[in-house]
Amino acid sequence: MNDYKALYLHFHDNVAVALSNIPEQTTVPLQIEDQRFTVKVLDAIRFGHKFATRMIKQGEDIKKYGEVIGIATSDIHPGHHVHVHNLTSKPRREV
Amino acid sequence: MEIYEKSMKFWGYRRKDGRVGVRNHVLILPTITCAAQTAQRVTELVNGTVSFIHPHGCGQIGADFDQTYKTYVGIGAHPNVYAVIVLGLGCESHQANKIAKEIEKTGKPVEVVSIQDQGGTLQAIADTAKIAVRLVQEASTMQREECDFSELIVATECGGSDACSGLSANPAVGKTSDLLVELGGTAILAETTELIGAEHLLAQRAVNDQVSKRAYEVIEAMEKRSVLMGVDLRTGNPSPGNIEGGISSLEEKSLGAATKSGTSRLQEVINYAEQPTKKGLVWMDTPGHDIEQLTGMVAGGAQVVLFTTGRGTPTGSPIAPVIKISTNTPMFEKMNENMDLNAGTIIDGIETIDDVGKRILLEIQSVASGKVTKAEVLKQYDFGIWRIGPTF
């Protein structure tokens, strides 16, 4: 295993956050409580940026902190960068 | 390491009104800016007294007058305060006598001194100091007793945030907040300004429609106030700098601040400086200004404050201990005299969010039982009221 670190914040999340600059094609270990798993990061991900931890279909909610931070504007495969190019704010429910 | 099971205890001061204090201050409460310097002199003379400098208390009207009044009363009535000497000038709009009468309802010793009645600064200092000597000695005979965590109200806030805030210290405080709520205690989320864009997510966590509606209302009111100043807080967010740092939407940015509230249900939304009427997670409507939100939550009865910071701030309160939590290890080391805990270990991959959340809970126990925070050691006595109207 390598020293590249990433943070997986909530069981419902489908993204993780890089805690260091991760080069492309790097397998990164993730942990939440006692569960450990790995994701092969396909794009270069800078500190603070997100990558998909599982397949996210176009139109699907993107979740961080267990909450919806936006929806996918295209299919996002595990390990790909998730940012403004494939995530947009979800239209707010009218009150 | 299961240090908390179903209940946790700390050593506190039980007050006559039923609330529990974690400090035993004698407060010199200047209800008008003109009396603040005099109050300061008394604290230099009498060990065991606290006070603060502020510019408020005169030329205020309507809702703005009421908010300042409520804050003074909340601070004086606070369970961390054993006794109060209300120090006025005499001619101001916030009358010391009226405020003293309100604080007296808690059953604590309250005295009033007026600079004009005493015949000037020097006599007012002497008279206030003499009363303070008696009250400090009286306060020192109070014994701490075992109290339950369900009697704690813990304020949460972030200031001087950085790219690590939403990844380390804030989610760790969220964990602490959830544990505290499980233990029957109360956690306050504040800084309405920082929550713009995440209101629908917080509203979803509300216990009923009324609370959910209030969540939208306080956000809308905050946005309207900024529009009155010619600025729309929602547009331009996330900023180019935020996007560069990896933040993709306003929801994500605001969630970085909102994550301090953990995942508990939102029990109520309360006004500035008001006491929560419910246990569990409570949202107090405050601005993002560090000192004004701090003052509001303390006036609302918070005995301990959790403050996360990435850039590093010295913030403290004269009334409540403020536990400062660094979001990153370099700042924790560089500004160590100001920082109490380091959550940068999450970024370093040494600890998990849960580990740090539990560590913060244990620190609350120590601090509530008497351990002094760095801000207390450094006498960082910040105070500022959220003014909601102009001065007249």
Side-chain angles (χ1 to χ4, degrees):
Chain A
M1 210 46 93
N2 52 62
D3 285 339
Y4 296 108
K5 291 184 285 280
L7 188 63
Y8 184 65
L9 284 150
H10 193 278
F11 281 111
H12 295 158
D13 290 357
N14 46 20
V15 295
V17 185
L19 293 179
S20 51
N21 293 331
I22 302 173
E24 56 185 20
Q25 306 294 330
T26 308
T27 300
V28 177
L30 294 172
Q31 184 185 352
I32 182 156
E33 290 181 16
D34 294 333
Q35 280 187 39
R36 290 160 201 273
F37 61 103
T38 60
V39 170
K40 188 171 184 190
V41 173
L42 301 172
D43 300 324
I45 308 289
R46 282 184 293 148
F47 170 85
H49 285 245
K50 301 173 289 297
F51 56 88
T53 54
R54 51 176 175 258
M55 181 69 199
I56 306 170
K57 290 275 185 199
Q58 184 177 353
E60 200 182 318
D61 287 345
I62 296 175
K63 287 190 167 186
K64 179 182 169 188
Y65 301 113
E67 302 277 11
V68 180
I69 59 165
I71 52 174
T73 55
S74 60
D75 287 353
I76 310 169
H77 291 272
H80 277 296
H81 190 203
V82 176
H83 203 15
V84 286
H85 62 285
N86 54 15
L87 179 157
T88 189
S89 280
K90 200 174 181 178
R92 283 205 303 156
R93 186 169 47 94
E94 287 303 312
V95 201
Chain B
M1 181 177 65
E2 284 305 304
I3 25 137
Y4 54 92
E5 291 290 338
K6 282 194 181 68
S7 78
M8 258 176 92
K9 307 283 182 192
F10 67 96
W11 295 93
Y13 297 98
R14 194 165 293 283
R15 304 300 184 196
K16 283 182 179 152
D17 65 352
R19 291 198 279 170
V20 168
V22 305
R23 294 294 181 266
N24 204 34
H25 299 302
V26 171
L27 171 66
I28 319 295
L29 175 61
T31 49
I32 169 72
T33 182
C34 316
Q37 299 295 339
T38 308
Q40 210 58 33
R41 299 282 138 66
V42 177
T43 63
E44 288 158 16
L45 292 168
V46 185
N47 193 20
T49 56
V50 288
S51 189
F52 47 83
I53 301 286
H54 69 87
H56 313 298
C58 213
Q60 295 184 251
I61 59 168
D64 178 56
F65 175 97
D66 293 343
Q67 184 141 304
T68 293
Y69 179 82
K70 204 164 58 176
T71 309
Y72 287 150
V73 172
I75 291 287
H78 196 286
N80 288 0
V81 174
Y82 167 78
V84 187
I85 304 172
V86 185
L87 186 57
L89 174 63
C91 58
E92 66 274 20
S93 48
H94 277 285
Q95 286 294 307
N97 276 315
K98 198 168 165 232
I99 290 160
K101 277 215 172 66
E102 202 61 43
I103 298 169
E104 267 171 7
K105 289 179 185 167
T106 59
K108 70 176 72 178
V110 182
E111 304 278 349
V112 181
V113 175
S114 151
I115 297 173
Q116 285 166 352
D117 286 354
Q118 285 353 87
T121 304
L122 298 178
Q123 195 58 48
I125 293 171
D127 290 346
T128 309
K130 280 182 184 178
I131 300 167
V133 167
R134 169 170 61 80
L135 293 174
V136 165
Q137 200 163 44
E138 231 177 80
S140 72
T141 64
M142 285 283 292
Q143 297 288 317
R144 284 184 184 264
E145 51 187 276
E146 201 175 53
C147 301
D148 194 82
F149 257 58
S150 61
E151 296 178 280
L152 279 180
I153 301 175
V154 175
T156 65
E157 71 171 286
C158 47
S161 298
D162 70 351
C164 298
S165 298
L167 302 176
S168 60
N170 286 359
V173 165
K175 177 69 187 176
T176 312
S177 171
D178 282 345
L179 293 170
L180 178 70
V181 169
E182 275 175 42
L183 291 165
T186 306
I188 310 181
L189 171 71
E191 49 199 339
T192 304
T193 328
E194 316 294 330
L195 304 175
I196 294 171
E199 65 272 24
H200 54 298
L201 302 167
L202 286 159
Q204 277 169 17
R205 284 164 53 189
V207 285
N208 58 42
D209 291 351
Q210 224 176 346
V211 174
S212 159
K213 195 164 158 267
R214 279 286 289 147
Y216 284 106
E217 279 170 5
V218 294
I219 290 280
E220 203 189 323
M222 189 62 82
E223 289 194 81
K224 275 191 181 151
R225 277 188 289 267
S226 81
V227 168
L228 276 176
M229 296 290 125
V231 177
D232 180 359
L233 293 170
R234 202 177 285 264
T235 44
N237 254 315
S239 67
N242 292 149
I243 293 171
E244 177 71 21
I247 300 290
S248 311
S249 65
L250 178 58
E251 294 93 304
E252 184 181 5
K253 179 179 177 172
S254 301
L255 278 168
T259 186
K260 293 194 302 299
S261 68
T263 56
S264 308
R265 302 296 300 276
L266 181 63
Q267 298 295 329
E268 63 177 339
V269 180
I270 55 174
N271 293 322
Y272 185 83
E274 260 178 27
Q275 272 185 50
T277 65
K278 303 263 179 10
K279 302 234 183 217
L281 177 66
V282 169
W283 173 356
M284 181 184 284
D285 181 25
T286 79
H289 187 291
D290 289 352
I291 311 305
E292 292 185 3
Q293 59 169 303
L294 170 71
T295 303
M297 289 189 282
V298 173
Q303 301 106 318
V304 179
V305 181
L306 301 178
F307 189 116
T308 71
T309 177
R311 307 298 304 276
T313 76
T315 309
S317 157
I319 307 297
V322 177
I323 300 172
K324 288 230 286 306
I325 305 159
S326 163
T327 71
N328 65 86
T329 302
M331 191 276 285
F332 179 75
E333 285 166 0
K334 197 168 78 180
M335 285 185 63
N336 195 262
E337 79 246 31
N338 297 107
M339 294 301 123
D340 295 287
L341 295 177
N342 181 21
T345 49
I346 296 165
I347 306 293
D348 304 335
I350 298 167
E351 275 187 303
T352 65
I353 288 168
D354 282 8
D355 292 338
V356 178
K358 287 172 190 170
R359 199 149 55 79
I360 297 169
L361 192 73
L362 284 175
E363 186 72 3
I364 293 174
Q365 189 176 40
S366 300
V367 167
S369 301
K371 179 182 176 183
V372 291
T373 63
K374 298 279 178 68
E376 286 177 294
V377 174
L378 296 175
K379 300 184 189 179
Q380 184 77 30
Y381 295 155
D382 299 318
F383 183 91
I385 299 174
W386 178 24
R387 293 286 309 276
I388 50 172
T391 309
F392 289 89

